[in-house]
């Protein structure tokens, strides 16, 4: 299994090196991940104590806000778990760290969760051609993808992006996969038809405002604080996508579905057709059952203590959580069976 992990890491590094050219590095804090693979275990008066590192993303994104609030709730409502929310470069890096044994749990999107567990990926997910030791913990909330440009820009559709400087999303995240999927459905080659770049959500918005790029793409639960802040000082607009084109994307990638901009999320911006995907938490297959069970139980049963951290937390419940895209970890499965949401 260690050979499989090394192989997955090596192939993924190659894929990212080829497809994420001209990458910019997001401004995530360079904290050191917990290297106690499989959840560090220490003896306590009431039994074992588990230390869990929960990978999120940059500190301005929804992953970090929700992850930090959830970690605090799980840690403070019991004595056998200590969960630390770790700022990272996003969903792909979180899976890498899980596969290498350097992190126990992490946020990612449903696409990467699915392919990294079951294998069979192609294109952007070719690195997951062989299944890895990733298991599902919780499905959390809906995230929307949006291409953003300046309000006065001539860009009205994805078709207008040809020849433009476009940020496709943060490196080491699954976000570029969605933007690339939409572009390809429009017949646009992201490697030759646009000048692609890869920045964090915050960096992409800053470079758009400064005129360095013409458009930037992101995926986040609405409203995203970084976008809300930038829209307060810069006139922005969303780029619309034709629903017939989006239908082609969903046929090819069933973990996406068509939606419109969440009503009321961005009062200063226009409403457009776009794609949505679910954010999920995954973990390593070797994380102890008791640790995962305790994490899920407390995260679900103490939602009232962190529901106000972000509007996305309002979507978290046992039934939705049990619908993880990856095979459920035995600890998670045990809780959902006890809760009566799965058989």
């Amino acid at each position: 299994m260690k050979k499989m992990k090394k192989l997955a890491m090596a192939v993924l590094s190659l894929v990212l090196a080829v497809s994420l050219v001209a990458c910019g590095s997001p401004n995530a804090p360079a904290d050191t991940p917990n290297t106690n693979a499989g959840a560090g275990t220490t003896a306590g008066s009431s039994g074992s104590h588990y230390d869990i590192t929960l990978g999120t993303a940059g500190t301005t994104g929804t992953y970090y806000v929700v992850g930090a609030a959830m970690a605090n709730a799980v840690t403070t409502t019991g004595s056998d778990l200590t969960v630390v929310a770790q700022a990272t470069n996003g969903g792909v890096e979180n899976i890498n760290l899980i596969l290498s044994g350097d992190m126990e749990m992490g946020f990612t999107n449903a696409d990467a969760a699915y392919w990294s567990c079951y294998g069979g990926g192609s294109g952007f997910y070719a690195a997951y051609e062989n299944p890895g030791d990733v298991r599902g913990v919780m499905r959390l909330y809906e995230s929307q993808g949006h291409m953003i440009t300046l309000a006065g820009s001539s860009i009205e559709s994805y078709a207008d992006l040809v020849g433009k400087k476009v940020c496709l999303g943060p490196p080491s995240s699954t976000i570029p996969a969605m933007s690339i999927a939409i572009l390809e459905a429009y017949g646009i080659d992201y490697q030759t038809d646009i000048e692609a770049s890869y920045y964090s959500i915050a960096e992409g918005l800053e470079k758009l405002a400064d005129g360095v790029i013409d458009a930037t793409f992101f995926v986040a639960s609405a409203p995203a604080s970084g976008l809300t802040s930038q829209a307060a000082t810069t006139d922005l607009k969303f780029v619309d996508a034709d629903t017939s084109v989006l239908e082609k994307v969903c046929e090819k990638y069933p973990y996406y579905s068509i939606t419109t901009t969440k009503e009321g999320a961005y009062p200063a911006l226009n409403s457009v057709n776009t794609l949505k995907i679910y954010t999920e938490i995954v973990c390593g297959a070797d994380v102890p059952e008791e640790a995962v069970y305790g994490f899920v139980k407390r995260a679900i049963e103490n939602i009232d203590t962190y529901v106000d951290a972000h509007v996305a937390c309002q979507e978290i419940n046992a039934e939705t959580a049990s619908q993880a895209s990856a095979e459920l970890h035995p600890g998670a499965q045990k809780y959902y069976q006890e809760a009566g949401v799965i058989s």
Side-chain angles (χ1 to χ4, degrees):
M1 193 59 67
K2 289 183 178 179
K3 292 183 178 179
M4 182 179 294
K5 292 180 181 178
K6 292 180 179 179
L7 177 59
M9 286 291 293
V11 179
L12 181 56
S13 297
L14 177 60
V15 171
L16 291 176
V18 174
S19 63
L20 301 185
V21 294
C23 293
S25 178
N27 294 324
D31 298 322
T32 303
N34 184 343
T35 55
N36 295 327
T41 308
T42 56
S45 59
S46 60
S48 296
H49 182 93
Y50 300 99
D51 297 310
I52 294 176
T53 300
L54 175 64
T56 58
T59 55
T60 61
T62 309
Y63 278 18
Y64 185 84
V65 175
V66 176
M70 183 180 290
N72 180 68
V74 172
T75 300
T76 57
T77 53
S79 59
D80 61 335
L81 283 176
T82 298
V83 183
V84 177
Q86 173 71 52
T88 69
N89 289 328
V92 171
E93 181 174 65
N94 291 338
I95 288 178
N96 291 348
L97 291 169
I98 287 171
L99 289 172
S100 66
D102 292 320
M103 184 174 284
E104 291 76 42
M105 293 185 182
F107 279 60
T108 194
N109 282 332
D111 46 6
Y114 179 89
W115 294 120
S116 63
C117 175
Y118 296 110
S122 61
F124 187 85
Y125 299 103
Y128 302 135
E129 183 176 355
N130 296 311
D133 291 341
V134 173
R135 296 293 179 267
V137 177
M138 299 175 67
R139 169 171 283 188
L140 299 177
Y141 53 82
E142 171 190 315
S143 292
Q144 297 186 331
H146 281 299
M147 185 69 76
I148 307 163
T149 188
L150 297 177
S153 170
S154 61
I155 300 172
E156 300 292 342
S157 164
Y158 278 74
D160 299 326
L161 293 172
V162 174
K164 298 296 193 295
K165 297 177 180 178
V166 183
C167 171
L168 298 179
S172 298
S173 77
T174 63
I175 292 176
M178 184 187 288
S179 52
I180 290 171
I182 299 175
L183 289 172
E184 290 179 341
Y186 269 95
I188 300 173
D189 188 326
Y190 75 97
Q191 294 178 307
T192 60
D193 295 336
I194 64 172
E195 187 176 328
S197 58
Y198 302 85
Y199 301 114
S200 70
I201 291 176
E203 284 180 314
L205 290 169
E206 289 172 3
K207 292 185 181 298
L208 174 63
D210 292 340
V212 177
I213 58 176
D214 300 303
T216 185
F217 189 85
F218 80 96
V219 179
S221 177
S225 60
L227 176 56
T228 301
S229 297
Q230 191 66 58
T233 59
T234 309
D235 289 333
L236 304 171
K237 69 179 179 183
F238 290 133
V239 178
D240 197 17
D242 190 293
T243 54
S244 63
V245 175
L246 295 179
E247 286 172 357
K248 295 179 183 178
V249 178
C250 296
E251 288 176 5
K252 187 174 183 179
Y253 306 108
Y255 35 76
Y256 296 137
S257 55
I258 300 173
T259 189
T260 57
T261 307
K262 191 171 183 179
E263 184 177 358
Y266 306 105
L269 297 171
N270 55 319
S271 179
V272 296
N273 297 304
T274 186
L275 294 178
K276 68 178 180 180
I277 191 170
Y278 277 93
T279 290
E280 306 190 3
I281 294 178
V282 295
C283 71
D286 60 351
V287 178
E289 180 176 329
E290 296 81 2
V292 177
Y293 173 84
F295 178 92
V296 175
K297 180 179 177 64
R298 290 185 207 160
I300 294 294
E301 297 182 0
N302 293 284
I303 292 175
D304 61 316
T305 67
Y306 64 92
V307 69
D308 293 331
H310 192 282
V311 65
C313 296
Q314 297 174 13
E315 299 180 40
I316 301 174
N317 59 74
E319 185 173 2
T320 298
S322 68
Q323 299 170 21
S325 299
E327 176 186 342
L328 284 174
H329 186 284
Q333 182 175 2
K334 177 182 178 181
Y335 176 78
Y336 297 132
Q337 287 175 332
E338 288 182 358
V341 293
I342 64 172
S343 57

